[in-house]
Amino acid sequence: AKLLGKNNFQFYQGNMRNKVNENFEMESMLRKALEQDELLLVYQPQVNASGNNVVGVEALIRWKNEKLGMVSPGEFIPMAEETGLIIPIGEWVIRTACLQNKAWQNQGFEPITMSVNLSIRQFYQSNLAAKVEEILLETGLNPVYLELEITESMAMQADTATKVLNDLKKLGVKIAMDDFGTGYSSLNYLRNFPIDHLKIDQSFIRDISQNEEDQNIITSIIALGHNLNIKLVAEGVETKEQRDFLVENGCDVLQGYYFSRPVEHSEIPAFIRSFLHI
Ligand code: C2E
Ligand code: CA
Ligand code: CA
Ligand code: CA
């Protein structure tokens, strides 16, 4: 048993060292990723409930690395947060997303909303609103076509969060509360924050057709949002059953694999065109 214990310890220690080295290596690789154009945005369409229009897209980051392959945001955003790399990365995301949206407008498409995810550190950086304003001026994008997505966890420092959100609203951009229903004190935030959209978390959508409780939660969230003049977006819509339930119950905007996976920018025009004659 003692031997086993010792081996276990060494095994564990070895593993830890690899983990540390791996993290360290990944950090320096991520640092270079920004300079070497390894980051890209993919865009997932958002469709209105009547199903006849693409009203927006959500920008989702990807990291394409020669050695690591395609790295998903779940694997590197937490590290970017910890190291502070999220600040330059986040700025790159907002700029790239605004430029892209402006480019589609310049191509003659009806303007759509570009939704961008903010991370908590980015949200609490001192000059976020000034940065966003600078990017809007630089790219020439009308602020009403930029939406910033925050989560309930960002609202923990309620006073600061209210100030940041009000500063952002003054610019004319839209605010969405992402992953709604999975965090804390949602109702308090709804009362205090200037929110345009609530995104119903995909965990509530998943089992809609079998789970009556989920159905009741969803219809309640929709009623709550509408009573507060907030539009509802459902994410993670994968099936026709889910779509039908959401449309029948008054959800405003739908997003999910049922309509489209997140795609590269070059695929968005064809997607929009496929809706034009509906
Ligand atoms: P999120 O903001 O909740 O984004 C939705 C996630 O669900 C995306 O995963 C999307 O690809 C996925 N998804 C969309 N439709 C469906 C569906 O029908 N079924 C299922 N099962 N999944 C669907 P992704 O792209 O891997 O992003 C994961 C998370 O990483 C995002 O969750 C967001 O929190 C974060 N993230 C992504 N891009 C950025 C970014 O530019 N900045 C920051 N700070 N975070 C980002
Ligand atoms: Ca999001
Ligand atoms: Ca979400
Ligand atoms: Ca999420």
Side-chain angles (χ1 to χ4, degrees), residues 18-230:
N18 281 340
K19 194 92 202 139
V20 169
N21 285 339
E22 249 171 47
N23 278 345
F24 185 74
E25 207 188 330
M26 194 154 144
E27 185 189 331
S28 70
M29 286 169 88
L30 185 55
R31 226 171 259 287
K32 285 184 203 127
L34 196 54
E35 299 155 19
Q36 297 172 352
D37 282 338
E38 294 177 358
L39 300 178
L40 71 144
L41 295 181
V42 288
Y43 302 92
Q44 187 174 36
Q46 300 177 326
V47 173
N48 67 351
S50 39
N52 59 2
N53 222 349
V54 179
V55 291
V57 294
E58 178 177 3
L60 296 157
I61 196 169
R62 298 289 181 265
W63 176 16
K64 223 184 224 171
N65 179 268
E66 213 173 43
K67 214 165 115 189
L68 301 173
M70 195 66 117
V71 192
S72 73
E75 292 171 86
F76 70 90
I77 292 289
M79 160 178 294
E81 269 278 313
E82 273 169 43
T83 54
L85 277 172
I86 195 68
I87 300 296
I89 291 176
E91 189 180 330
W92 175 86
V93 170
I94 300 172
R95 178 173 290 107
T96 306
C98 287
L99 272 173
Q100 183 58 64
N101 204 17
K102 184 71 184 171
W104 285 324
Q105 290 179 12
N106 289 343
Q107 286 167 38
F109 291 99
E110 279 287 306
I112 58 173
T113 303
M114 172 65 72
S115 292
V116 171
N117 293 282
L118 293 182
S119 80
I120 190 157
R121 189 149 171 175
Q122 204 182 358
F123 183 74
Y124 282 110
Q125 76 182 107
S126 55
N127 59 349
L128 177 64
K131 261 268 142 11
V132 171
E133 184 175 26
E134 185 188 309
I135 292 170
L136 287 166
L137 287 172
E138 182 191 312
T139 59
L141 182 70
N142 183 333
V144 300
Y145 300 117
L146 175 64
E147 178 162 76
L148 301 172
E149 296 194 2
I150 62 161
T151 60
E152 289 157 302
S153 62
M154 288 181 204
M156 297 305 251
Q157 292 169 247
D159 290 351
T160 316
T162 307
K163 189 185 177 309
V164 175
L165 289 174
N166 286 333
D167 286 348
L168 289 170
K169 278 309 290 182
K170 270 184 221 145
L171 300 177
V173 303
K174 302 245 155 48
I175 306 290
M177 179 71 90
D178 200 2
D179 303 343
F180 185 72
T182 60
Y184 298 103
S185 311
S186 337
L187 299 180
N188 196 26
Y189 301 151
L190 289 188
R191 183 171 57 187
N192 293 322
F193 294 165
I195 290 166
D196 301 284
H197 282 121
L198 279 185
K199 298 190 79 173
I200 307 170
D201 191 67
Q202 52 191 60
S203 59
F204 296 110
I205 312 290
R206 203 165 296 137
D207 303 319
I208 284 186
S209 35
Q210 304 95 279
N211 190 327
E212 209 183 306
E213 268 175 10
D214 284 348
Q215 293 180 4
N216 294 337
I217 289 174
I218 288 170
T219 53
S220 304
I221 296 178
I222 293 173
L224 174 69
H226 284 167
N227 283 330
L228 296 169
N229 232 334
I230 298 173

